[in-house]
Amino acid sequence: MFKIAIASGKGGTGKTTLSVNLAAMLSDSESVRLCDMDVEEPDSGLFLNVDQKEKTVIQRFTPQWDEDKCTLCGKCQENCNFNAVIRLADQIMIFPELCHSCYACSELCPKNALPMIPSPMGVISSSRHEQLRFTEARLNVGVEQAVPLITQTHQYLNNLNEKAKFVIIDSPPGTSCPMIHTIKEADFVILVTEPTPFGLHDLQLAVETVRQLGIPMGVVINRGDDNNTLITDFCTANSIDVMAIIKNDRSVAAHYAAGDLVYKHVSTFRESVETIAGRIQNLLQ
Amino acid sequence: MKIAFTTKGKTMDSEIDPRFGRTQYILVYDTEQESTDVIDNTDTASEGHGAGPKTAQRLMETDAEVLITGNGPGGNAASVLNRKGIKILVGAAGISAAQALEKFNNNELTHF
């Protein structure tokens, strides 16, 4: 199982477009699973005709105060790094939305007065689109933290009986915790960007993040043209491989908006994705 | 009665800090003793999350019955303060704690 995370600094550069089209195209010749880990806004599935879904409800564990056992010693509050457990004069207050489910308060409570209680956090569903296997992790509305679900989605992928050769992961945007926890288990990261000052700025942040994690990476420039060297200059100066430049083409946007797999309709787009697919296959050889 | 102020300094002449969770100091004025106590709250600046509940917890330990602040606490902090039924007055940003006390005595502050 070779995990490829498709990420970006900036949002809206084409992570999902590339993820879905690359996975679908590659699945013609290889065993591929597409996994949408943009749990706050998973939308890869919109482009796929998926059959029956197999759903798993994912729980998170937060402490619950057992008033009868508690002696109000306050160790729970001292051990919580996130101010999720507060001791008042006559009670313990818990803020589940601040809790990171680290178990410190619960495990270190001398009276076992803070048992960890499950509550639904999100759903992981798996399905098939022709040859392509598809997994989507979706956070429940109102749940504030994406990372616990992302961590469990990686575990879910690792525990699957039927493992694909390539797992293509549609990652959350940005360079904060959700993105980091999504890409840190990847074997390779593709950063999608666009040739604009914003695109460059956020690409720089993303490159720095991936380098700190020590994961090999390549860059794909979306909506590019041959005359704009903003991104290519940066990549050359920093010895980063530009895997492909997807040409700016209105018909790509039109097919995307219609919910189509773009590579089936736009030949220049298909050529770019074929180049990326070839590069990925070479990575394994 | 004890009245707590969110302040940028350590005396009654200090300006009210409009923020609750990340206020620099909590100044507690005792109306009977006419004395003040200061709680240093500057460490909340480095809290990623949960500054509100932490500050609220500190405030609860002072036994203050009234809180005078600027913008008012956020949801989590308010839920702590409400447990104790502490009276919260807002709109005191930009003036000193002494001036805010005068406004409080004249009923010129807004209930949160």
Side-chain angles (χ1 to χ4, degrees):
Chain A
M1 192 166 65
F2 191 76
K3 285 182 177 173
I4 301 147
I6 303 202
S8 71
K10 188 181 173 299
T13 55
K15 286 181 298 299
T16 298
T17 308
L18 180 61
S19 300
V20 172
N21 284 278
L22 178 62
M25 180 190 285
L26 203 55
S27 72
D28 288 341
S29 56
E30 304 273 10
S31 83
V32 181
R33 180 179 299 276
L34 171 65
C35 180
D36 196 342
M37 278 202 212
D38 188 3
V39 301
E40 289 173 276
E41 213 165 9
D43 54 5
S44 293
L46 296 175
F47 301 91
L48 305 171
N49 298 313
V50 291
D51 51 19
Q52 71 271 25
K53 285 186 179 176
E54 178 196 309
K55 292 190 176 189
T56 314
V57 174
I58 305 298
Q59 313 279 352
R60 71 191 285 245
F61 287 79
T62 52
Q64 193 174 64
W65 183 47
D66 185 337
E67 188 175 355
D68 297 331
K69 289 183 180 169
C70 180
T71 58
L72 293 166
C73 72
K75 286 214 165 64
C76 47
Q77 175 178 301
E78 287 165 29
N79 287 319
C80 181
N81 272 339
F82 305 100
N83 299 313
V85 186
I86 297 288
R87 179 190 58 164
L88 301 179
D90 56 354
Q91 61 186 301
I92 300 293
M93 274 188 86
I94 294 160
F95 297 93
E97 67 276 21
L98 295 176
C99 175
H100 284 53
S101 302
C102 78
Y103 283 68
C105 64
S106 183
E107 293 289 323
L108 298 170
C109 173
K111 298 289 175 189
N112 289 321
L114 287 167
M116 297 295 277
I117 305 295
S119 57
M121 157 173 72
V123 176
I124 298 177
S125 51
S126 285
S127 52
R128 253 179 192 269
H129 170 98
E130 295 164 11
Q131 291 304 104
L132 177 65
R133 300 180 179 103
F134 176 56
T135 297
E136 174 198 273
R138 184 178 289 267
L139 199 65
N140 287 355
V141 172
V143 176
E144 294 194 7
Q145 287 176 42
V147 171
L149 179 57
I150 289 167
T151 305
Q152 291 205 39
T153 308
H154 274 298
Q155 286 166 2
Y156 175 94
L157 292 176
N158 296 341
N159 291 336
L160 281 170
N161 291 325
E162 196 189 3
K163 288 194 178 61
K165 183 174 170 190
F166 293 101
V167 175
I168 293 179
I169 301 171
D170 189 3
S171 309
T175 50
S176 64
C177 296
M179 180 265 201
I180 290 168
H181 283 265
T182 299
I183 71 166
K184 74 175 186 185
E185 291 207 22
D187 300 292
F188 190 81
V189 177
I190 298 176
L191 294 175
V192 188
T193 189
E194 59 185 27
T196 63
F198 282 134
L200 175 63
H201 176 269
D202 290 0
L203 176 66
Q204 289 169 323
L205 295 176
V207 164
E208 223 174 288
T209 307
V210 178
R211 284 219 162 124
Q212 285 219 5
L213 292 168
I215 309 168
M217 69 179 134
V219 162
V220 169
I221 302 171
N222 192 14
R223 293 193 286 270
D225 66 69
D226 293 332
N227 302 323
N228 187 329
T229 61
L230 189 66
I231 304 294
T232 43
D233 288 348
F234 167 77
C235 289
T236 307
N238 289 278
S239 316
I240 300 162
D241 180 31
V242 176
M243 302 173 79
I245 300 174
I246 298 170
K247 291 278 187 302
N248 192 21
D249 183 342
R250 196 176 186 281
S251 63
V252 173
H255 282 290
Y256 169 87
D260 297 335
L261 288 170
V262 181
Y263 81 92
K264 292 187 174 175
H265 301 274
V266 184
S267 61
T268 54
F269 182 88
R270 184 174 65 242
E271 284 157 21
S272 297
V273 179
E274 274 169 353
T275 306
I276 299 163
R279 299 292 303 280
I280 284 169
Q281 285 168 309
N282 286 339
L283 284 171
L284 266 192
Q285 281 158 13
Chain B
M1 181 175 65
K2 285 181 177 175
I3 302 174
F5 301 86
T6 58
T7 53
K8 295 181 175 179
K10 300 176 182 180
T11 68
M12 289 299 284
D13 293 326
S14 308
E15 188 183 329
I16 297 287
D17 195 324
R19 302 166 302 174
F20 177 76
R22 292 175 204 279
T23 180
Q24 296 179 48
Y25 298 94
I26 302 168
L27 192 65
V28 184
Y29 180 72
D30 187 323
T31 54
E32 277 119 62
Q33 312 281 331
E34 296 190 354
S35 63
T36 55
D37 255 334
V38 183
I39 298 165
D40 190 331
N41 199 51
T42 49
D43 63 344
T44 52
S46 61
E47 295 285 345
H49 301 280
K54 185 173 186 169
T55 305
Q57 196 267 341
R58 285 178 170 159
L59 179 61
M60 301 315 285
E61 287 180 350
T62 68
D63 290 324
E65 291 167 49
V66 176
L67 166 68
I68 295 176
T69 183
N71 303 330
N76 286 338
S79 69
V80 177
L81 301 176
N82 288 339
R83 294 268 170 124
K84 287 287 173 183
I86 192 164
K87 192 189 280 183
I88 305 169
L89 295 141
V90 295
I95 58 174
S96 71
Q99 289 167 320
L101 179 62
E102 203 179 312
K103 283 200 165 205
F104 169 70
N105 288 331
N106 295 334
N107 265 330
E108 289 169 12
L109 292 174
T110 313
H111 283 265
F112 181 65

